[in-house]
Amino acid sequence: MQLDPVILFFVLGFGAGLLRAEMRLPSAVYELLTVILLLSIGLKGGVELAEADLLQILPRLGTVLIMGIVLGLLAFGLLRLSRALPRSDAAAIAAHYGSVSVGTYAVAVAFLDTVGVAYEAYSAAFVVVLEVPAILLGIILVRGLRPQNGWSDVLHEVFLGKGVVLLLGGLFIGLLVGRQGISDLEPLFIDAFKGFLALFLLEMGLVAASQSGAIRRHGTFLLLFALGFPLLGAVVGAVFAWLMAMSLGGALLMAVLGASASYIAAPAAMRLSVPEANPGLSLTASLAITFPFNVLVGVPLYYAVLSAVYPGAGG
Amino acid sequence: MQLDPVILFFVLGFGAGLLRAEMRLPSAVYELLTVILLLSIGLKGGVELAEADLLQILPRLGTVLIMGIVLGLLAFGLLRLSRALPRSDAAAIAAHYGSVSVGTYAVAVAFLDTVGVAYEAYSAAFVVVLEVPAILLGIILVRGLRPQNGWSDVLHEVFLGKGVVLLLGGLFIGLLVGRQGISDLEPLFIDAFKGFLALFLLEMGLVAASQSGAIRRHGTFLLLFALGFPLLGAVVGAVFAWLMAMSLGGALLMAVLGASASYIAAPAAMRLSVPEANPGLSLTASLAITFPFNVLVGVPLYYAVLSAVYPGAGG
Amino acid sequence: MQLDPVILFFVLGFGAGLLRAEMRLPSAVYELLTVILLLSIGLKGGVELAEADLLQILPRLGTVLIMGIVLGLLAFGLLRLSRALPRSDAAAIAAHYGSVSVGTYAVAVAFLDTVGVAYEAYSAAFVVVLEVPAILLGIILVRGLRPQNGWSDVLHEVFLGKGVVLLLGGLFIGLLVGRQGISDLEPLFIDAFKGFLALFLLEMGLVAASQSGAIRRHGTFLLLFALGFPLLGAVVGAVFAWLMAMSLGGALLMAVLGASASYIAAPAAMRLSVPEANPGLSLTASLAITFPFNVLVGVPLYYAVLSAVYPGAGG
Amino acid sequence: MNRKLLTVITEQALERQLIRCVMEAGARGYTITEARGQGQRGLRSADFETGCNIRLEVICEETVARQISTRLHRDYFQDFAMVLYLEDVEVLRPEKFDASGHQ
Amino acid sequence: MNRKLLTVITEQALERQLIRCVMEAGARGYTITEARGQGQRGLRSADFETGCNIRLEVICEETVARQISTRLHRDYFQDFAMVLYLEDVEVLRPEKFDASGHQ
Amino acid sequence: MNRKLLTVITEQALERQLIRCVMEAGARGYTITEARGQGQRGLRSADFETGCNIRLEVICEETVARQISTRLHRDYFQDFAMVLYLEDVEVLRPEKFDASGHQ
Ligand SMILES: Nc1ncnc2c1ncn2[C@@H]1O[C@H](COP(=O)(O)O)[C@@H](O)[C@H]1O
Ligand SMILES: Nc1ncnc2c1ncn2[C@@H]1O[C@H](COP(=O)(O)O)[C@@H](O)[C@H]1O
Ligand SMILES: Nc1ncnc2c1ncn2[C@@H]1O[C@H](COP(=O)(O)O)[C@@H](O)[C@H]1O
Ligand code: NA
Ligand code: NA
Ligand code: NA
């Protein structure tokens, strides 16, 4: 199969980072890339929503919400069973893994475009839905219904973070103006998507490498969890996709949503609400282990397996 | 009529801003967007200038200069008559409203492209001309011919601000190399124009929302002026367009130039030259009231009216 | 001949800079542009490498390495003969002129695209090779084999600077995925290349202008050297191109590599390793004199001469 | 003429809470600059997703400074990266920095 | 060995004037960092078009510091957001910071 | 309760070396902000390719501060743009800043 160049950008960044090359993109550039990717995914999803049957999709959002809680509880349960971590750390990690990584989702979308497999682009709406429940769950698991600094800051962080607002905004704009309406926006948001994704992954590689020193510090248990849970999460995601009768492409996206862990919304929210949890632990797991794993191994692996076993995949 | 998605980006930004979502673009990104928009508008204008009769256009620049002074004096007169504001504040606001907003001009250009109406793209030169006279007028109205910190800093700020230099630079480059010559620059400066404008308006929506708290503080008089003066300014602009025998599209651009208020060059210049004027007042008016009004209501409104009444509009 | 608009952007920046217009791009934007240009040049080169005979090219890299040392020694010899500068300053300047400027290389590539002359795009690999030897030579000429702060920081700076890593990374990615593979990256990295180059040159014009005050301070000797050495370097580059039997386009690129002076890798490395050398001296020469000279005069001049005399140029 | 200058270096994530605490204690203003650094809780910079620091300065009366510093110790020292120090400074319009000051 | 450290926090728009004032008063240098903050004139940050602040530091002799602070008060305190404070600092090569110093 | 605050303003290029020097002298942390400015070695800002400055602060015991300042003088004062000054500050958990401190 053809090598996807965006993945090589991640490898480049990761390698450069390990060698301590001085080339982190300025944070302003990273933010610009994030904004463009979020809007781009949102717009594409919205255009598809405009052409889909909304009444059919709405109940699926509820199903996906349940998936977020299932994933969070699964992660928390496994971590507590292992007795390796205090309650607060287990809850914080559960919040990360029940939530999702938009970057990984973008890689899966690029993968499907490259191999030429159709998918339900409106799944962008699922990304939005999944941003929320696991984070709230994580907080409740530690604080009950009274987080450290009150709910208002937390809810603000979760619902009004860049991720939710831009994805949702893109979805609505795409939904309102339709495929024809966004045609003037395509050069920047659609045609250049893979180029921006390449730059984003270059940066993410550098970031992941800068965290990788922490892996050793946090021990093999974390490593095992951060490599093992994605596999479980992918299965959960694929099962939910099957429950919702999605296509093979859609099933890959759902698997990736299940397998990926948040490294933007969750860290910020957990830092404020469960400050006694060690932020290094959950960030190392999601950013330095799970993200690279999914990008390099997970996406093609899940696809290979799904091609073979997913109902109707012709495998 | 088809909804223009760039406007929806403004709405998204404004809404997110009101909800205090944490997503302001870094200032570096905002500056990059400004630079690209200014150059893009300048280049397009220059290419048209290259194909137009320069001898016919030069006297029009003089006419437009007069329009800037007329608008500034009108605004100052109205504000002084109302007795609501001290002389310095009236002059500062007059400087803003006699000058123009490049962002609003870009929205009008995008609007005309969307509805498919031709326009004199060389009007970009008018934007440059209008940047200057009202600001100088505003200073003279307070200081006479001796501004607070001497003329040199002010003239520097006015003539060598980003706006004038980049617009003028783009115009000259477009004029020198012509349509054929800029073809390699088109992917970035022309094709992606609307995408960049969308990001710019997203940011402007956030900025406008962040200022909107100030509206209440400054009272209804300011609100009335900032909503009413654009209507007057649009009429003035349209009349000048008619005097210069411009097309319907050109008349819309002139109306928008008349209706819009500066929020970049004017604030910086007035802050230094008339520091006793309250900068919150003029910025709230131009940025939090007039800009959103023009983008959301003004542009289509002026166009609807002009379609009906402008000579030769076939209305 | 058709004026190349990217050169006019440099002129615009330079003029605006001389007038002290307030419009430097934020450093984050400058870094983004650098990253995109480096990757773009690398990718194009890599794609060509994928289609070329690697066994034929590898020995050429060695030849180019020798060229870097020849240029460095030439510059050092001339400067020492003149007795105008202490050893440390001569060595620092030699390091700059034996090394190369990627920006100038990009201008030459754009020039060849505009005039429609073919060239060996894999020359991007030569840029990487030339980044290194002259800098190490410069250090050794002053410190012998014991630089001020040890070799490790210096080697890190030289081999793991943005320039080498991104060019090399782009080359490898292009080489691995080939022309077909990078097609999705083209909108950002290939189609928009000239637009980004225009913005980059705008900024470089501003930077060069901001340094130009220093020219007077450093006297006419520096001016003469910074204008004269590029001519010599261009001849050296062309001779090496001829030795390697390159095309006319390739010969121009080699001439430009010979004529240009580093203003990124070399300054940083020399500052740490030969701190007693005056950084103003070498930066003024390379950035404020040689770079503008090459961009405005050198590239077309070298091309005109090569068209007339280069074997097989049909001149 | 003398007031206290209190400087707090801490995680960016706390900015909102910090400002609330400072203003509630009666300070009349504050200044923030972006910073990075290292301390007991390791390296903190934009290069690490643990994020940057902020450096907050407050000029105020000694009692206000003590109150802020007590509250910060109580609420954040255990779980957050935080450093805090006090200096004497001379200001020209001291009333501008007083909890009871008239503008 | 002792000199004064004068810190001025004010609107970015004044940078050019501020530097002129500092150098004319006889200071040998200055350092500027970007800042944001809040005071009598409200919130000042990049998020608001009123713009950011700058934080300027000058190490100099006491007389120079007094002169700068007097001029800033006279010219800018009424119309601009501005805060200004003085501290004692110990420097190692005091002549580097003196109006009459030889380089 | 009293410690020294040492501030160093110098070229960005020296950051790595500076941090090494500070930590080797026994400091327990440091804080860096980006700065620009002017001094004997001319204007230093992002606008000039000579580059920006950094402003490094270390809270530490007096002996550590003296040691850092001596080493910086010896190694860098001659060839690099550098300014350095010392102040007294009051900290709340002094052991957090001591070379011999227990975390
Ligand atoms: N000794 C010190 N001197 C100056 N800054 C310090 C020092 N220790 C810590 N800091 C700063 O305070 C932040 C939090 O410190 P800590 O809580 O010790 O991790 C660090 O990231 C540094 O920016
Ligand atoms: N009490 C204070 N402590 C620290 N910084 C202050 C204080 N008051 C004002 N500032 C800073 O000085 C700037 C101007 O203050 P003002 O003139 O009071 O609006 C503010 O934007 C803050 O950055
Ligand atoms: N008198 C001063 N007050 C404040 N900062 C200074 C002073 N002199 C120099 N600096 C800062 O220290 C840096 C290096 O100074 P120098 O070594 O004198 O060039 C300058 O770029 C300024 O940022
Ligand atoms: Na997940
Ligand atoms: Na107007
Ligand atoms: Na060279």
Side-chain angles (χ1 to χ4, degrees), chain A residues 16-148:
Chain A
L18 288 182
L19 296 169
R20 303 198 165 278
E22 281 170 45
M23 47 175 284
R24 278 292 303 267
L25 294 176
S27 64
V29 170
Y30 175 77
E31 288 195 40
L32 173 62
L33 294 173
T34 312
V35 168
I36 291 178
L37 291 185
L38 288 167
L39 286 172
S40 168
I41 290 172
L43 285 171
K44 268 200 261 185
V47 164
E48 290 257 334
L49 274 184
E51 291 167 2
D53 183 356
L54 276 180
L55 284 180
Q56 224 179 13
I57 290 168
L58 277 175
R60 294 185 177 184
L61 297 180
T63 312
V64 168
L65 202 104
I66 293 168
M67 177 170 121
I69 297 172
V70 168
L71 285 168
L73 286 174
L74 258 177
F76 184 71
L78 286 171
L79 290 165
R80 290 301 282 160
L81 274 178
S82 79
R83 290 163 194 276
L85 296 173
R87 186 176 187 88
S88 57
D89 283 319
I93 296 178
H96 285 68
Y97 280 82
S99 182
V100 293
S101 142
V102 183
T104 317
Y105 180 81
V107 169
V109 165
F111 177 88
L112 291 174
D113 286 340
T114 300
V115 299
V117 168
Y119 54 93
E120 288 83 355
Y122 63 70
S123 305
F126 298 169
V127 181
V128 180
V129 169
L130 283 169
E131 287 266 358
V132 177
I135 295 179
L136 301 185
L137 177 76
I139 297 172
I140 292 170
L141 285 171
V142 187
R143 292 268 169 274
L145 300 172
R146 276 189 44 206
Q148 178 86 342

Side-chain angles (χ1 to χ4, degrees), chain B residues 251-302:
Chain B
L252 178 68
L253 295 182
M254 287 293 290
V256 163
L257 290 178
S260 72
S262 169
Y263 50 81
I264 298 179
M270 298 318 279
R271 191 79 197 99
L272 285 178
S273 320
V274 189
E276 70 271 36
N278 179 352
L281 226 51
S282 37
L283 256 174
T284 303
S286 66
L287 198 59
I289 310 174
T290 299
F291 182 78
F293 173 75
N294 276 326
V295 166
L296 298 177
V297 179
V299 173
L301 174 69
Y302 311 147

Side-chain angles (χ1 to χ4, degrees), chain C residues 67 71 96-101 130 229 233 256-262:
Chain C
M67 178 171 120
L71 284 168
H96 285 68
Y97 281 82
S99 183
V100 293
S101 141
L130 283 170
F229 193 80
V256 163
L257 290 177
S260 71
S262 169

